[in-house]
Amino acid sequence: MLGAIFRDALKNLSSNLLRSGLTMLGVIIGVASVIAMMAIVEGGQVWLVSSIERLGTNLLFVWKKRLTIEEKRMFAGRNLKLRYDDALAIRDRFPELQVAPIIQIEGHVKAGERDYSGRITGTSPEFSPIRNFHPAEGRFLQQSDLQTWKRSAVLGKTIAEVLYGSKSAVGEQLKIGEHRFTVIGVMEPKGEVYGQDRDEMIFIPATTALRFFKGDDKIRSMVIHVPNRKQMEEVTHKLHQFLIQRHDGVDDIRVRNQGDFLGAVEQTIWTFRIVLGGVAIVALLVGGIGIMNIMLVTVTERTREIGLRKAIGATRQNILLQFLIESTTISVIGGCFGVILGIIAAYGFGDFVAQSMPGGGDWGAVIEPEAIAIAFVFAVSVGIGFGLFPAMKAAKLDPAEALRYQ
Amino acid sequence: MLITLRHIQKIYNTGEVEVKALNDLNIEIEQGEFVAIIGQSGSGKTTLLDILGCLSHPTSGDYWLDESHITTLPDSELTTIRNRQIGFIFQTFHLLPRKSALENVQLPLMYAGATRLQQQSRARELLTTVGLHDRVNHHSNQLSGGQQQRVAIARALANQPALLLADEPTGNLDSQSGSDILSIFEELHHQGQTIIMITHDPLIAQRANRRITLLDGRVLADEPTESPKEPMLQEN
Ligand SMILES: Nc1ncnc2c1ncn2[C@@H]1O[C@H](COP(=O)(O)OP(=O)(O)OP(=O)(O)O)[C@@H](O)[C@H]1O
Ligand SMILES: [Mg+2]
C-alpha cells in the first residue's frame, strides 16, 4: 500500500509541475543556503586556523598595550615601552625560550637603478626557526651580525626579484636610506600569511635597525617560541609578570599565545554560525510554510476525492499518510536539489573569495557530510511538520460532506 | 433481516434553522431485495442512503446491518464496514482522475489489504463482468458516461459487498446507457445481490422489486412494484 501511495504522490506532483516546482523552490533555497553557509563558515574557520598555525607553532606574541592619556600621565617617569633590553632580559631569565625582537621601519631601498619602498624588519637569528621561514640562498641573520651592528640584509623572494631580476642577489650591495648594506641571503617563497606577504619582507639585524634608523631602543613586538606546548599558559603568565616587574610594576604589555587567537577565532566563527545558520533556517521555515500553503490548497481541491476514498474504505491513517507522503516527497526532492545547489553555491563562493579577497587564496568552501545530513534531515522534518496540519485536516473530513463538496 | 432501521431521525443544524431530513423512519430490508427509493427533491433520499452506507450517523435511532449494531460502532469500524460490506455508486461516478479504470477498481481492494497482484487480477475480472475488458487502461476522461458508471459498479463490487447503494445511478446518463446500467443491476439482483437505488424516474423504479416513497423524511409508501413493464406491453 505504501508503494501505491508513493506512486500516487509522484503522479499528483507531476500532474502540476509548475506548482510543485515553485513549492519545492522554497525548500531548495532553504537547504542550499544552510549548506552553502555552513560550508563557507567552515571554510573560513579552516582558513583562519591554518593562517594562525602558519605563524609558527608554540608561539607567544608580546607587544605594547596602548595606554590612555590618563594612564600615561599617571605612570610618567616610569620605565615603560617595550625595549630591546626586555628581549635580552627574557633570554637571560628563560634560557629555554627562543626570543625574536621585531623592529619595523619604513625605508627606501635602492640597488643600482632599481628601488623599492616599504617596510624593513629588524630582528634576530631566532626569527627564522621560530617562524619556520628559511633562506633559500645564502644565510639568515646570525648573532655576530647583531653583535657588531653589521649592515647585512636578507631579502624576501619578491624583493630580490624586483631589485635583481633573475640574477642571484647574494653578495650584492644595496642602500637602505643612506646606509650601504650587503645582501647575505634570499628567503624561500612563502606567500601570504595572515594578511602579510612574506615574500615582500626585508630583514636586517635588530641592533643595526635600532642604531642606524631609530636612535632609541624601542621595539615593536617580540615573537617567542616555547619548546613545550603544555607550558604555554604557564610561560605566558610568568613572562607577563616578569615584564610588568621590569616596567616598574606597570602592566603596559600584552602577551598572547596562539591558543588565545584560536579561541578568539573560534568565538567569532560561532557568532557567524549562529547568525548565518539562523538566516538559513528561517529560509527553510519559509519553504515549509510554502509547503503547508500548497498542501492546504491541494486538500481543498481534492475534497471530493478524499470523500470517495473514505467511502470505499480509506481509514483516517490512510488519508493522513497519503498527504504526508505528498508533502514529504516535495521536501525530499526539494532537499536533493537543494543539496546540489548548495554545493555549487558553496564552491562558487569559495572561488569568489579566493579571487577577490587579498590573502583569501586558499579559502575554500568546506562541505562537511554532517552539514548535508543536517540540512537534509531538517528539510524532511519541515515537509513532515508543515504537511501534518493539512494532512490532519484531510483525514478529519466528514465523508458524506466531502463527497458532495462543490 | 439484512437491514433494520428503527426510529431513525436525522436533523441538520444550519445556524438557526433546524432541518428534519429524516423523521422517525422504520424500514426493514431483506437479503437479496432490489429496492428503489423515490420521492420529491429534498425528501431525504440521499440522507437515508448516507446513513445506510455508514457515511454519517443518524441523530437518533438504531440501525442494524447484518447483525452489526451500526449506531453503536466507532468511526474506525464503520470504515471497515464501508470497505467490506457496502458498495457505493454515485450519480457523478466519482472516479479518480489521472487513474486508469483498472486502478480505480483496485482502490477498495488496496484498502482491504490485498496484494498488488491480487488487486489487479480481481479488478480485471470485475471490469470484464461489466463489459469493459478492452478499456482497463483507459483513464476516466477517455471513457463515456455509461462506461464510467460501469467502472464505478465494478469498483463497488470489488469486495463482494452485502449491500449495493446507488444514488441516482442513471441521472447523468442517456436512456440507452441508463438502461444498460439497470440491466447490470437486474443481473446482479438475479445473482442475489441486495441493491438499494435512489431514482427520480418512475419507470426506472419499476424495474426494482420494491419501491419505498419518501416524503418530508417519512415513508409515504412502501410496496412491491407492479409486474414488470415488458410483460404488460406484451399483454397489450
Ligand atoms: N449537509 C446538510 N446540511 C443541512 N441540510 C441538509 C444537508 N444535507 C441535506 N440537507 C437537507 O436535508 C433535506 C433532505 O436532503 P437530501 O439531500 O436527503 O434530499 P434528496 O431527497 O436526496 O433530494 P434530491 O432528490 O434533490 O437529491 C433537504 O431539505 C436538505 O436541504
Ligand atoms: Mg439526493
Side-chain angles (χ1 to χ4, degrees):
Chain A
M1 169 128 58
L2 268 180
I5 292 181
F6 186 69
R7 274 193 302 275
D8 274 3
L10 284 183
K11 212 187 271 181
N12 283 323
L13 292 178
S14 58
S15 75
N16 203 336
L17 269 182
L18 181 64
R19 183 205 271 186
S20 310
L22 287 174
T23 312
M24 268 174 212
L25 202 57
V27 181
I28 293 174
I29 291 172
V31 169
S33 53
V34 168
I35 288 177
M37 289 193 181
M38 281 170 119
I40 289 159
V41 171
E42 294 312 313
Q45 182 178 28
V46 169
W47 178 77
L48 279 171
V49 168
S50 75
S51 300
I52 290 171
E53 274 168 358
R54 256 179 303 167
L55 292 170
T57 47
N58 292 18
L59 298 189
L60 282 180
F61 302 87
V62 180
W63 71 95
K64 208 180 78 64
K65 226 192 262 181
R66 181 159 285 150
L67 295 181
T68 62
I69 294 174
E70 201 68 2
E71 283 170 319
K72 276 184 186 158
R73 200 163 359 143
M74 204 182 335
F75 301 135
R78 300 212 214 174
N79 181 21
L80 300 181
K81 315 269 182 199
L82 200 56
R83 293 169 199 282
Y84 187 59
D85 283 352
D86 289 324
L88 298 181
I90 290 169
R91 228 177 251 159
D92 281 350
R93 174 69 193 276
F94 304 98
E96 75 278 13
L97 303 182
Q98 287 184 293
V99 184
I102 290 173
I103 298 141
Q104 283 193 332
I105 50 181
E106 296 296 322
H108 189 73
V109 182
K110 213 163 151 54
E113 291 300 295
R114 308 198 187 189
D115 61 350
Y116 167 84
S117 274
R119 188 175 283 176
I120 294 149
T121 305
T123 186
S124 68
E126 288 88 345
F127 185 92
S128 173
I130 287 178
R131 284 296 179 88
N132 189 26
F133 185 31
H134 304 284
E137 220 186 313
R139 61 171 177 85
F140 196 69
L141 304 170
Q142 288 177 348
Q143 277 317 330
S144 60
D145 296 320
L146 276 80
Q147 277 153 12
T148 56
W149 305 283
K150 276 254 178 61
R151 280 171 290 173
S152 312
V154 181
L155 306 183
K157 183 97 170 83
T158 309
I159 303 285
E161 277 164 11
V162 166
L163 295 179
Y164 300 103
S166 55
K167 93 180 165 196
S168 170
V170 178
E172 297 291 331
Q173 301 286 307
L174 53 74
K175 280 178 90 175
I176 302 177
E178 294 305 308
H179 304 281
R180 191 171 294 281
F181 279 70
T182 305
V183 179
I184 57 168
V186 174
M187 301 305 282
E188 63 192 350
K190 189 93 175 187
E192 211 150 332
V193 178
Y194 217 34
Q196 182 187 27
D197 190 342
R198 287 286 170 88
D199 298 340
E200 290 184 5
M201 293 183 85
I202 301 172
F203 300 99
I204 61 174
T207 51
T208 312
L210 292 172
R211 181 166 189 170
F212 291 95
F213 299 103
K214 297 276 295 196
D216 60 23
D217 63 348
K218 278 181 259 170
I219 62 175
R220 183 173 177 270
S221 60
M222 281 185 252
V223 188
I224 297 171
H225 180 261
V226 182
N228 188 345
R229 188 160 219 163
K230 290 192 188 121
Q231 290 175 343
M232 285 307 273
E233 292 302 323
E234 186 193 335
V235 173
T236 306
H237 182 73
K238 275 193 188 159
L239 205 64
H240 199 174
Q241 293 307 318
F242 177 68
L243 286 169
I244 291 174
Q245 197 188 328
R246 280 184 58 82
H247 292 189
D248 295 343
V250 180
D251 179 8
D252 65 337
I253 38 173
R254 274 186 210 286
V255 183
R256 289 276 179 274
N257 59 46
Q258 277 171 303
D260 296 334
F261 289 124
L262 288 174
V265 165
E266 191 67 14
Q267 229 171 354
T268 315
I269 292 290
W270 265 108
T271 313
F272 272 99
R273 264 196 201 122
I274 289 165
V275 172
L276 293 181
V279 170
I281 282 171
V282 167
L284 247 183
L285 287 181
V286 171
I289 292 169
I291 291 185
M292 176 147 81
N293 190 21
I294 282 303
M295 289 312 293
L296 284 173
V297 171
T298 304
V299 167
T300 307
E301 279 177 353
R302 283 157 61 191
T303 301
R304 283 159 56 88
E305 173 190 328
I306 295 164
L308 184 271
R309 282 177 183 271
K310 287 194 145 193
I312 61 173
T315 60
R316 280 184 178 212
Q317 292 91 307
N318 291 149
I319 302 290
L320 187 83
L321 209 61
Q322 182 187 341
F323 285 91
L324 263 190
I325 285 181
E326 212 167 302
S327 65
T328 310
T329 304
I330 295 180
S331 65
V332 167
I333 296 176
C336 290
F337 283 123
V339 166
I340 295 168
L341 187 69
I343 292 173
I344 294 172
Y347 284 128
F349 182 84
D351 286 351
F352 170 76
V353 171
Q355 280 160 20
S356 58
M357 192 174 105
D362 41 7
W363 180 331
V366 175
I367 297 176
E368 311 260 12
E370 289 95 324
I372 292 178
I374 288 172
F376 196 75
V377 167
F378 206 87
V380 175
S381 318
V382 159
I384 295 173
F386 284 92
L388 197 59
F389 173 63
M392 276 173 17
K393 211 180 143 195
K396 273 196 285 204
L397 283 177
D398 178 84
E401 280 173 28
L403 270 171
R404 272 137 213 145
Y405 179 84
Q406 296 299 327
Chain B
M1 205 55 68
L2 180 67
I3 289 170
T4 309
L5 295 178
R6 285 272 171 274
H7 309 296
I8 293 288
Q9 281 214 9
K10 179 71 178 184
I11 299 171
Y12 290 112
N13 255 317
T14 46
E16 297 123 60
V17 206
E18 253 191 12
V19 181
K20 252 191 192 160
L22 295 178
N23 193 0
D24 193 28
L25 216 62
N26 294 286
I27 297 174
E28 289 182 348
I29 294 171
E30 264 178 284
Q31 165 78 43
E33 284 194 82
F34 182 5
V35 182
I37 297 178
I38 61 171
Q40 303 171 351
S41 184
S43 56
K45 304 183 295 293
T46 298
T47 307
L48 173 59
L49 212 73
D50 283 351
I51 289 170
L52 287 172
C54 306
L55 289 170
S56 69
H57 292 283
T59 311
S60 66
D62 290 295
Y63 170 26
W64 284 268
L65 171 67
D66 197 17
E67 313 288 295
S68 307
H69 192 178
I70 301 297
T71 31
T72 61
L73 296 179
D75 280 352
S76 57
E77 286 185 44
L78 295 188
T79 303
T80 314
I81 287 178
R82 285 198 298 267
N83 182 234
R84 306 296 170 92
Q85 308 257 63
I86 295 167
F88 290 97
I89 295 158
F90 302 97
Q91 182 173 356
T92 51
F93 322 131
H94 269 305
L95 297 188
L96 295 195
R98 294 189 293 279
K99 277 189 178 297
S100 67
L102 192 72
E103 287 169 319
N104 268 288
V105 179
Q106 275 177 253
L107 276 179
L109 297 160
M110 175 184 90
Y111 288 126
T115 67
R116 213 162 158 224
L117 220 64
Q118 291 168 335
Q119 292 169 29
Q120 287 181 350
S121 67
R122 172 91 177 120
R124 222 174 270 279
E125 185 187 309
L126 287 158
L127 285 169
T128 308
T129 59
V130 295
L132 288 175
H133 53 276
D134 55 347
R135 294 283 191 280
V136 286
N137 292 319
H138 286 230
H139 284 215
S140 47
N141 57 358
Q142 298 165 327
L143 295 171
S144 73
Q147 289 168 334
Q148 289 187 54
Q149 195 61 300
R150 280 189 273 160
V151 174
I153 292 171
R155 180 177 66 191
L157 295 172
N159 287 322
Q160 293 174 297
L163 179 60
L164 201 59
L165 298 176
D167 192 346
E168 298 193 37
T170 58
N172 275 17
L173 301 177
D174 62 82
S175 57
Q176 181 55 51
S177 309
S179 183
D180 291 349
I181 296 300
L182 278 165
S183 304
I184 296 176
F185 280 14
E186 280 165 348
E187 172 61 27
L188 289 168
H189 173 50
H190 282 298
Q191 291 166 11
Q193 176 72 53
T194 312
I195 304 171
I196 300 176
M197 173 182 71
I198 294 175
T199 182
H200 266 125
D201 186 339
L203 286 180
I204 287 172
Q206 201 79 325
R207 292 172 76 163
N209 66 348
R210 176 177 168 190
R211 182 176 53 209
I212 297 175
T213 313
L214 294 187
L215 181 66
D216 294 336
R218 292 173 192 273
V219 178
L220 180 73
D222 184 350
E223 66 223 326
T225 50
E226 298 112 43
S227 44
K229 227 177 172 185
E230 287 87 345
M232 274 168 65
L233 283 171
Q234 274 167 10
E235 275 174 19
N236 291 357

